Amino acid sequence: MNRRKFLTGAATGVAAGAAAATLSAPAIAQGKRDLKMVTTWPKNFPGLGTGAQRVADRITAASGGKLNVKLYAAGELVPPFESFDAVSNGTADMYHAAEYYWQGKHKAFNFFTAVPFGFTANELDAWVHYGGGQELWDKLSAQYNLKSFMAGNTGVQMGGWFNKEINTLEDFKGLKIRMPGLGGEVLRR
């Protein structure tokens, strides 16, 4: 072997290695991760949509930019009510939605969001954080390859606000009502 060629070649290799070290490394090599958050809310929807963006921004800020959360509003990456499945199967990393939307998966999801005549916002937070609610939610969500966290709270939902008095079942005939979850099921029946 020719020593001069070897040393010249080795020096070239070191220079190439040093030059490569100055190039920008992929985000994952820098310890950074891009995450996709899908929602059931329209883009910039007051309260819920803007709350989802606030959660995404706070995760990014709290991680010092190591986790970069990109928000996809309803329909941008997946249809709104496919967000649960998108996260469960790995198409997206997280969703921001009301858990009662998933009652078709399991009725117990209702209890981790607003239930008519149920917990107030403070009571729900207390139950989830201090009363064993998170443990139950973890057990339920794990069945679907998910880890759930509270990321907002709209508070209790009323039995309905109507432009005419409701006194009998007959009074419900012809009314158009949007009430999800268990309350909607009660009214349907």
Side-chain angles (χ1 to χ4, degrees), residues 67-88:
L67 299 175
N68 179 43
V69 181
K70 177 158 175 36
L71 180 78
Y72 294 89
E76 287 185 329
L77 187 63
V78 297
F81 299 111
E82 290 181 23
S83 55
F84 180 101
D85 291 331
V87 175
S88 180

Side-chain angles (χ1 to χ4, degrees), residues 60-128:
T60 300
S63 70
K66 290 192 184 265
L67 299 175
N68 179 43
V69 181
K70 177 158 175 36
L71 180 78
Y72 294 89
E76 287 185 329
L77 187 63
V78 297
F81 299 111
E82 290 181 23
S83 55
F84 180 101
D85 291 331
V87 175
S88 180
N89 69 30
T91 302
D93 300 293
M94 60 186 82
Y95 67 76
H96 190 278
E99 292 294 90
Y100 51 56
Y101 290 152
W102 321 131
Q103 76 173 356
K105 306 279 184 193
H106 198 291
K107 295 273 189 219
F109 279 111
N110 284 285
F111 296 101
F112 299 97
T113 192
V115 178
F117 311 109
F119 288 141
T120 65
N122 289 339
E123 290 167 341
L124 181 60
D125 279 348
W127 174 65
V128 167

